[in-house]
Each structure stands twice: as structure tokens, then as C-alpha cells.
């Protein structure tokens, strides 16, 4: 009985080590440097939007690569990427709803935040009811410009015409 137990344990351990060594490392679904993200708002256009600007993470996805003027629509994604110095950059993406699933239509860095060299502590949408069907976006980015300070709220607003406004929140 003892020999049987030793044999079974040996086989189990040998199988475990082979499985652990041969198992491929799973690709990271989201880079560790993305510290906060929210998806909210709604956008649509006639398909003639400016060229896609790539995110620093190498995100793939181009909507309408042939430049056809077909109606597009989707939602916005607002996210913060932590930098080596612990400050963050904030990016805004347009995510298009396509027949094959969501695809990145455009990515821009919100320079108003980068100029502050902030420590982002949270990003929140206007509400948590999901994607709205009215054009625009309203979200709040909470940040510190001094790591020891209390966070301030900054609003990111996109109106129905696509104009982006970033300003310190007023209560």
C-alpha cells in the first residue's frame, strides 16, 4: 500500500511539473499600467472622422479602414495609464459598435491632464446605468497634483457636437 501511494504521488507530481512548464503564459488582457477606466456616453458620425490615433499600449483596431462614408456609432472609454514616475496620463477613446464586436475608432490623450502631471485616484461616469443613447459624455476624474493632498474632481464633458471640455469640477 505504501509503494502504491509513493507511485501515485510521484506520477501526480511529475504530471504537475510537466503541465506547469508546458502551459503557455496567458497574455495580459489589460496592461497593468491601466489603473482606472470607465465606458460611458454615446457617439455617432457619418464615417468621415479623422484618422485613428493609437494608444501607447499598442491597442489594435481600426474602424472603416477603406474610408467608406457609412454611419458609425458607439461609446466612449476614458482611462488612466500610470507612468514610471507614478503620475498618470488620461486617454479618451471612441469605441465603435461593429458587426464583429467593439473596435477602437480613435484614441486621444487629454493634454489638460498630462500638463498637470496628476496622480489619478479614480474615474467615474455620470451614472452607472450603462451606455446612454444620447450623444455626449460626462465623467469625473479624481486626481491629486501632490501625493499628500486630497483629490480634486475634474470633469470631462463631450457635448452633442463632439466638443471636449476638461475643467475642474465645481460644487
Amino acid at each position: 500500500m505504501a509503494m502504491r501511494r509513493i507511485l501515485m504521488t510521484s506520477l501526480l507530481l511529475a504530471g504537475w511539473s510537466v503541465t506547469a512548464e508546458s502551459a503557455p503564459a496567458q497574455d495580459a488582457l489589460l496592461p497593468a499600467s491601466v489603473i482606472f477606466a470607465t465606458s460611458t456616453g454615446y457617439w455617432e458620425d457619418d464615417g468621415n472622422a479623422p484618422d485613428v490615433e493609437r494608444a501607447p499600449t499598442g491597442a489594435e483596431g481600426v474602424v472603416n479602414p477603406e474610408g467608406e462614408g457609412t454611419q458609425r456609432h458607439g461609446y466612449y472609454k476614458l482611462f488612466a495609464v500610470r507612468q514610471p514616475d507614478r503620475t498618470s496620463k488620461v486617454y479618451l477613446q471612441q469605441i465603435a459598435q461593429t458587426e464583429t464586436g467593439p473596435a477602437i475608432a480613435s484614441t486621444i490623450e487629454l493634454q489638460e491632464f498630462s500638463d498637470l502631471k496628476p496622480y489619478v485616484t479614480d474615474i467615474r461616469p455620470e451614472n452607472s446605468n450603462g451606455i446612454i443613447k444620447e450623444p455626449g459624455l460626462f465623467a469625473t476624474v479624481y486626481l491629486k497634483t501632490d501625493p499628500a493632498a486630497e483629490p480634486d474632481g475634474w470633469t470631462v464633458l463631450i457635448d452633442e457636437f463632439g466638443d471636449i471640455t476638461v475643467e475642474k469640477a465645481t460644487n
Side-chain angles (χ1 to χ4, degrees), residues 12 18 22 24 26 48-49 52-53 71 82 86 88 116 119 126 133 136 140 145 147 149 159 163:
L12 180 62
V18 168
S22 63
Q26 186 177 5
N48 294 319
V52 173
E53 184 177 322
Q71 184 72 24
R82 187 174 181 172
R86 295 182 43 211
S88 299
L116 294 172
Y119 300 89
E126 180 178 21
K133 290 295 181 187
T140 304
T145 53
D159 64 20
D163 293 331

Side-chain angles (χ1 to χ4, degrees), residues 32-47:
S33 59
V34 175
I35 54 174
F36 296 101
T38 188
S39 296
T40 188
Y42 178 80
W43 65 270
E44 63 183 13
D45 68 21
D46 62 2

